[in-house]
Amino acid sequence: MQNPKGLNKIDKLGYVLVSVFLILCILILLLLITTKFFPKLFNKEILSGASVAIFSFFLAVGWDEYKNRREIKRREGIIISAVEDELRRNQQILAENKKILESDLIARDESKGVVIPLQYLYEGFWELSRMNLPRKFIEKDYLVKMQKLATLTNYFNEMIRSRESYRIQNEAMTNFSGRMKIYDKSLLDKVAELEILLDEPLVKKSTGG
């Protein structure tokens, strides 16, 4: 059977069950026709047993397919929830880091500084979604966005690591405050980029039609 146009908008399980039902009907019809034209080959007991066997087989196939689809959906739901939770936590971390950076910029004008360290962002979301890609994620736009988000997240963490290393080891340098302001402004630019990406929905809601 050819996949009808727009099938991706229909529940795949329904398509499988309908296909199984049609095949079952065809087989039973063929069995009835054979019995009618070749009655000596089949009696009622054989016909009844064959029909039950065919029906049981396809019922088992349909049930296994249903259980498989249900398990896939359950696992995908767990993955999506885990990815979304990690991205939400990254949004919270970004908000906290933004406050620290803005406060530090003001303090640097007075040759002071904020000693609270910046927090690293979680990076496991990319590996989790890439290695266990749910069907809802198999979209070009999603993959491009997630790869960009993962790359930017990693770069942001490396910038934090570099800033913290410089802050700890070079406080006695004469241009320390100026260099820290450069770090702060660069990180705030990346915060703005990450905020835009994280504000977009992870999975677009499908529309009817």
Side-chain angles (χ1 to χ4, degrees):
M1 272 181 153
Q2 259 192 335
N3 203 352
K5 185 179 180 181
L7 182 62
N8 57 332
K9 298 180 180 179
I10 302 174
D11 180 42
K12 298 298 179 64
L13 175 60
Y15 177 72
V16 171
L17 292 179
V18 168
S19 300
V20 169
F21 176 74
L22 290 176
I23 294 173
L24 176 62
C25 290
I26 291 171
L27 288 174
I28 292 176
L29 182 61
L30 289 173
L31 192 59
L32 289 172
I33 292 172
T34 304
T35 304
K36 181 176 179 61
F37 288 99
F38 304 96
K40 293 182 179 181
L41 296 178
F42 295 96
N43 55 37
K44 291 183 178 179
E45 288 75 17
I46 294 176
L47 177 62
S48 176
S51 299
V52 170
I54 293 172
F55 178 78
S56 299
F57 171 76
F58 282 102
L59 183 63
V61 170
W63 177 245
D64 286 342
E65 180 66 19
Y66 168 75
K67 290 191 296 182
N68 182 53
R69 295 285 178 179
R70 187 175 60 179
E71 177 61 20
I72 290 174
K73 187 176 181 180
R74 185 189 69 83
R75 289 201 307 267
E76 289 181 350
I78 293 173
I79 293 169
I80 291 172
S81 295
V83 172
E84 287 180 331
D85 180 65
E86 191 161 290
L87 295 181
R88 276 194 298 269
R89 285 189 286 173
N90 279 351
Q91 284 181 307
Q92 296 170 355
I93 293 172
L94 278 176
E96 294 170 7
N97 283 347
K98 186 176 181 179
K99 291 178 181 178
I100 294 172
L101 290 167
E102 290 174 341
S103 298
D104 193 66
L105 270 176
I106 295 172
R108 293 300 165 189
D109 289 333
E110 302 174 2
S111 297
K112 298 178 182 178
V114 177
V115 296
I116 302 173
L118 298 171
Q119 299 181 61
Y120 295 106
L121 298 178
Y122 292 96
E123 298 185 50
F125 65 88
W126 172 237
E127 194 68 20
L128 184 61
S129 60
R130 185 169 64 90
M131 298 300 293
N132 305 276
L133 194 65
R135 288 170 296 175
K136 290 183 179 180
F137 288 2
I138 305 178
E139 296 178 5
K140 181 181 177 182
D141 291 344
Y142 168 81
L143 292 174
V144 170
K145 173 199 165 183
M146 288 298 285
Q147 188 171 29
K148 182 178 179 181
L149 182 57
T151 301
L152 191 55
T153 298
N154 178 263
Y155 182 68
F156 184 80
N157 284 342
E158 290 301 320
M159 287 180 68
I160 290 178
R161 193 171 288 110
S162 176
R163 176 188 182 276
E164 290 303 297
S165 176
Y166 181 83
R167 182 179 68 85
I168 293 170
Q169 299 177 19
N170 299 279
E171 193 170 358
M173 294 182 66
T174 54
N175 64 339
F176 177 74
S177 291
R179 185 65 182 270
M180 288 299 296
K181 288 175 69 174
I182 293 174
Y183 269 117
D184 291 347
K185 290 177 181 178
S186 298
L187 282 165
L188 283 171
D189 288 341
K190 296 305 174 186
V191 167
E193 291 182 44
L194 284 163
E195 284 177 335
I196 292 173
L197 287 174
L198 289 170
D199 280 342
E200 297 176 8
L202 181 61
V203 180
K204 294 180 181 178
K205 293 182 179 179
S206 58
T207 56

